[in-house]
Amino acid sequence: MIRQFKFLVLFLFAAIYSNAREGMWIPILLDQNIEEMREMGFRLSIEDIYCDCVASMKDAIVQFGGGCTGELISSNGLLVTNYHCGYRQIQKHSSLENDYLTNGFWAMNLEEELPNPALTVSFIVHMEDVTESVMEGADTLENLQEIESIKNDNISKILYKVDVDSLQNKTIKPFFEGNQYFLIISETFKDVRLVGAPPSSIGKFGGDTDNWMWPRHTGDFSLFRIYAGKDNRPAEYSPENVPYKPRHFFPIDIGGISEGDFTMIFGFPGRTSEYLPSHALKMIIEQRNPERIAIRDIKLNILNEAMNSSSENRIKYAAKAASTSNAWKKWQGEIKGLRRLNAVEKKLEKEADFIKWVKADSIRMKKYRGILPAFDSLYPLLEKALHEYDYYTETWFRGVDAFSMYSIVSSILNSSEPLNSGEFEKEIKDHFKDITPDVDCNLFINMVKNYFENTSYDYLSKDLRNIFESKSLDKMLSNIYDRSVMIDTAFLFSIIRNNSVNRLENKIKHDNLYQLMKAVSDHYSAVVYPQYYEIQKAVDQNQQLYMTALFEMKKGERLYPDANFTLRVSYGKVEGYSPGDAVKYKYFTTLEGIIEKDNPDIYDYDVPEKLKQLYSDNEFGNYCNSDGTMPVCFTASNHTTGGNSGSPVIDADGNLVGINFDRCWEGTMSDLMFDPEKCRNIALDMRYMLFIIDKFAGAGYLLNEMTIID
Ligand code: ARG
Ligand code: GLU
């Protein structure tokens, strides 16, 4: 009976996982997945997804700007990604006269498309498993340092022999913590122009309030075009460049999606850590996330209050607030999700299995018995080091904005060039452009107090230490800030224009703000960072050995490597989910929901008049559902992470049905542990994008170069 029951449990387990949604797979190793993909509805072959010789989907996919994904949707180099991925470019082109953030931007012809000097996109040209050659001579060794150095030698030798032309890049990247290696050849295009973007009231609709959440109504897309030299190869920006002719681009299917439809995501996921031990998850749940959340709480409270009090502050602090809030919110969802999953207990069970497996064999005992005990002793040290490290980076690097003035002033002091010849004046202007003095001072006071309440300050000079023991600490800190030359732009500009470093040096000796920041920063370089670095290195080496052992233990099982910014395939289905007891979420949202959320008094929910008009006139063209409603976003069960933003959501026939842009709240822990019941990616429905371009923006001519399937 018991045996039967066990068998049944195993069988159920297998049934859930045979529709595996978990995993970010390497496109040249899809042999292990293709059968399952077909069972789930996929109708094409591996070669359609990835092939070196014939055109395949991979030729229509780019890593966009280093941190996102984009895909080609026309034979003329037209590319689509998220609005939030193109945000920096859109913002840079905006001014009071041409406020593209508020009004949107649509180039009416090629001449009107806007160049973006720092923006690049990269295609993958070739991938190859080079594990054997990298490991050669290393597999018989035991000393980790020796192994590393042999592998590095091998990597240099292999790369040296790989023939690429001057427009291509080659690299060998470790997967599975250095248990597998891939050679990757890529091509980077540097002339990428902005073609179109909706107003932020559509592209960022719902803002940070709706971020990481379902139901969602964000029109998160922007359009760019890749330009190439006359030979269709990468070229520096030039007005002579011509639209790039890709080997492949995605047709857009507007036939509509249904629950259960096969979907696939092809893109560049950034970082996941699915193979960590229980110790790490416990640390993340109990220490790392709560501490970082609490530090950002302070910053966000100050920024939100400032942004709500004036529209000038809103413009100055919008980007800072959005980036501070993004991870802050995800960490909270992550804690909840890991707790709900009993993630630590699950890992402990796996570790018990691991110990059994190690104990069953004397060679394994010799090689692997020390792994978990090493984690036992390393993690408490890592926790201590990370506490200091996180407080430092969150407070000084990402919290106190005035700290960037410390770096600028330091580089002025250390400059070997005459001051007035360099970029200093511009740097200072850029810094102060997005700052309001009283908000900045408020950030300084509150974040610094919090920092020294939670870390020690015994390395500070006696004078500085006295400040923190004073009864009127707020007043003292505010004086330090107000009296500093670092906020005195007139003084700084005169120093720069007269090239008088000496005058600055004399002033700075008695400047408490500068001295405080210098002491903290020196302490970081001398103590906080080295301590963290050493212990993290030891943990990483042990993790690498753990991965080697897991690899051996799970031989024959299908494993996927953690995300590492390389090209991956995830697949799943269009499906809703149940976020909690008694609640079931549908898999799609409609324009109806945008109208429901409309509130002109709340910035994130201020629906443009034109959109309301289109809604009440039912002017949806042929982009609506058969029941006449206008689709906006949908959820599917593809395993994704940061970096997958802008990735194509591809249907069973290789057509584009959506653009990935987020994950749902209950599934934010998927970077550490995936739950097929709750983890959903959130995508923009292509039909909403086409509707906005055509009916809202009146830029329907852009649709002429796309292939749209009804
Ligand atoms: N959560 C998404 C991602 O991780 C979207 C972020 C941009 N949107 C925002 N409201 N901050 O990148
Ligand atoms: N918004 C994320 C990004 O910018 C993608 C969502 C996720 O983390 O899954 O890459």
Side-chain angles (χ1 to χ4, degrees), residues 19 21 40-41 214 255-263 572-579 583-589 625 633-637 651 657 676-677 679-681 685 687:
N19 260 346
R21 288 117 171 127
M40 290 169 73
W214 184 254
I257 46 171
S258 314
E259 187 133 41
D261 282 357
F262 172 86
T263 57
K573 290 179 170 182
V574 172
E575 51 186 326
Y577 69 104
S578 165
V583 188
K584 172 88 180 99
Y585 281 149
K586 284 187 189 167
Y587 68 91
F588 67 95
T589 56
N625 289 310
C633 296
F634 65 92
T635 55
S637 48
D651 71 5
V657 289
E677 298 290 315
C679 290
R680 298 291 177 267
N681 65 304
D685 193 305
R687 293 171 292 173

Side-chain angles (χ1 to χ4, degrees), residues 84 204 207-208 211-212 216 322 326 645 661-662:
H84 79 262
K204 228 175 164 273
D208 288 328
N211 193 19
W212 297 114
R216 192 64 159 276
N326 196 39
S645 271
F661 70 94
D662 212 358

Side-chain angles (χ1 to χ4, degrees), residues 445 470 472-483:
I445 295 175
S470 117
S472 45
L473 179 54
D474 279 38
K475 183 110 199 40
M476 296 282 269
L477 287 171
S478 147
N479 281 342
I480 287 193
Y481 182 92
D482 289 339
R483 287 184 196 147

